[in-house]
């Protein structure tokens, strides 16, 4: 086992990030420190505008902080080019969004195979077929997103995120566009897949009950960590 295998899944140190320009510039993250252990599940909660989704985007390498250090899956993002970040995302990070972000002209199978093909996997379609079967969609392989329900589209998105076997799975309000029953089924699936694969799960949600299903809840307020959710030894 390499030394990096003992490192936390996510290490954030002194993160500052502002968005916008001029008078409209807003300080979104204001000195965030956060460590997330491998194989854990963490719910990130906070009011709208608190910075929780931006924090997730920083973990994904989709936003670069103005200052601070981001290390994910042993990779220091500050030392990587945009192409380098893209390679890390393709190999080590799966992302599930509220609005699914499926390619509308591609079938479920093609959507899941895309990241594998980009990574040069010769078995992209075999793996995609297996992943769709794992989320209960073996009967929907050739369907377009427009031919599927919201819950089915989110299952495709989960299969796509997990297909490269990422070390880190990031989910941003994954039930936000779903009804309550469908949302519950999607959350059950996320936790079941996370437990089966030992993936680190970071879940941004406004739903404190959903966050409570995670092993740890982190509260964000006004761009800082208000409560890191760590257990204090007796």
């Amino acid at each position: 086992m390499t030394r990096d295998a003992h490192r936390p899944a996510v290490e954030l140190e002194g993160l500052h990030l502002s968005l916008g320009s001029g008078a409209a510039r807003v300080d979104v993250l204001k000195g965030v420190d956060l460590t997330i252990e491998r194989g854990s599940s963490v719910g990130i909660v906070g009011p709208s505008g608190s910075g929780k989704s931006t924090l997730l985007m920083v973990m994904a390498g989709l936003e670069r902080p103005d200052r601070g250090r981001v290390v994910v899956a042993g990779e220091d993002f500050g030392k990587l080019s945009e192409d380098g970040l893209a390679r890390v995302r393709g190999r080590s990070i799966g992302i599930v969004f509220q609005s699914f972000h499926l390619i509308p002209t591609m079938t479920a199978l093609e959507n899941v195979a895309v990241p594998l093909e980009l990574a040069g996997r010769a078995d992209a379609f075999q793996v995609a077929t297996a992943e769709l079967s794992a989320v209960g969609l073996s009967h929907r392989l050739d369907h377009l997103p427009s031919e599927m329900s919201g819950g089915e589209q989110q299952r495709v998105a989960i299969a796509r995120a997990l297909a490269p076997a990422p070390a880190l799975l990031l989910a941003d309000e994954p039930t936000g566009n779903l009804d309550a029953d469908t949302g519950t089924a999607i959350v059950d699936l996320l936790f079941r897949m996370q437990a089966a694969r030992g993936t680190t799960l970071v879940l941004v949600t406004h739903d404190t009950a959903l966050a409570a299903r995670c092993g740890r809840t982190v509260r964000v307020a006004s761009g800082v960590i208000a409560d890191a959710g760590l257990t204090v030894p007796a």
Side-chain angles (χ1 to χ4, degrees), residues 130-138 155-156 158-159 162 189 192-193:
E131 290 294 346
L132 284 165
S133 178
V135 299
L137 290 180
S138 57
R155 285 174 182 267
V156 174
I158 291 169
L162 289 171
L189 174 64
R192 188 163 67 249
M193 300 292 272

Side-chain angles (χ1 to χ4, degrees), residues 6-29:
H6 297 285
R7 295 187 69 156
V10 177
E11 301 167 83
L12 309 177
E13 299 174 3
L15 293 191
H16 290 263
L17 174 62
S18 299
L19 298 175
S21 59
R25 194 163 181 81
V26 176
D27 295 328
V28 181
L29 301 178

Side-chain angles (χ1 to χ4, degrees), residues 77-89:
F77 282 8
K79 297 179 180 178
L80 298 176
S81 65
E82 290 303 318
D83 285 345
L85 279 175
R87 283 192 291 273
V88 171
R89 273 196 301 275

Side-chain angles (χ1 to χ4, degrees), residues 82-133:
E82 290 303 318
D83 285 345
L85 279 175
R87 283 192 291 273
V88 171
R89 273 196 301 275
R91 181 177 66 246
S92 300
I93 303 171
I95 310 172
V96 178
F97 297 97
Q98 176 177 335
S99 53
F100 319 137
H101 287 199
L102 300 179
I103 300 169
T105 56
M106 288 188 173
T107 65
L109 182 62
E110 290 166 338
N111 264 284
V112 176
V114 162
L116 300 168
E117 289 186 298
L118 291 174
R121 294 277 296 270
D123 59 349
F125 282 88
Q126 293 95 315
V127 173
T129 299
E131 290 294 346
L132 284 165
S133 178

Side-chain angles (χ1 to χ4, degrees), residues 2 36 43 70-71 74 76 81 87 91 108-109 124 129 159 171 173 181 186 190 192 202 219:
T2 65
I36 296 173
V70 180
V71 180
D76 188 335
S81 65
R87 283 192 291 273
R91 181 177 66 246
L109 182 62
T129 299
E173 298 281 9
D181 288 345
I186 288 297
L190 270 176
R192 188 163 67 249
V202 181
R219 298 184 184 279

Side-chain angles (χ1 to χ4, degrees), residues 43-233:
I44 299 180
V45 299
S48 296
S50 61
K52 58 186 186 297
S53 288
T54 301
L55 188 59
L56 202 76
M57 293 302 100
V58 169
M59 292 183 206
L62 294 171
E63 290 279 5
R64 285 190 184 265
D66 302 321
R67 302 198 309 278
R69 188 163 175 260
V70 180
V71 180
V72 174
E75 296 278 1
D76 188 335
F77 282 8
K79 297 179 180 178
L80 298 176
S81 65
E82 290 303 318
D83 285 345
L85 279 175
R87 283 192 291 273
V88 171
R89 273 196 301 275
R91 181 177 66 246
S92 300
I93 303 171
I95 310 172
V96 178
F97 297 97
Q98 176 177 335
S99 53
F100 319 137
H101 287 199
L102 300 179
I103 300 169
T105 56
M106 288 188 173
T107 65
L109 182 62
E110 290 166 338
N111 264 284
V112 176
V114 162
L116 300 168
E117 289 186 298
L118 291 174
R121 294 277 296 270
D123 59 349
F125 282 88
Q126 293 95 315
V127 173
T129 299
E131 290 294 346
L132 284 165
S133 178
V135 299
L137 290 180
S138 57
H139 62 301
R140 291 295 210 183
L141 302 184
D142 298 322
H143 287 72
L144 295 171
S146 61
E147 299 171 322
M148 293 182 283
S149 68
E152 287 173 331
Q153 290 183 62
Q154 193 62 299
R155 285 174 182 267
V156 174
I158 291 169
R160 179 182 60 187
L162 289 171
L168 177 64
L169 179 61
L170 305 175
D172 191 4
E173 298 281 9
T175 63
N177 282 343
L178 305 173
D179 62 64
D181 288 345
T182 304
T184 297
I186 288 297
V187 168
D188 288 345
L189 174 64
L190 270 176
F191 281 106
R192 188 163 67 249
M193 300 292 272
Q194 185 255 342
R197 301 181 186 210
T199 309
T200 306
L201 173 64
V202 181
L203 175 68
V204 162
T205 179
H206 66 280
D207 184 344
T208 54
L210 171 53
R213 292 188 58 175
C214 296
R216 173 185 172 196
T217 300
V218 173
R219 298 184 184 279
V220 180
S222 301
V224 300
I225 303 296
D227 182 356
L230 298 177
T231 301
V232 179

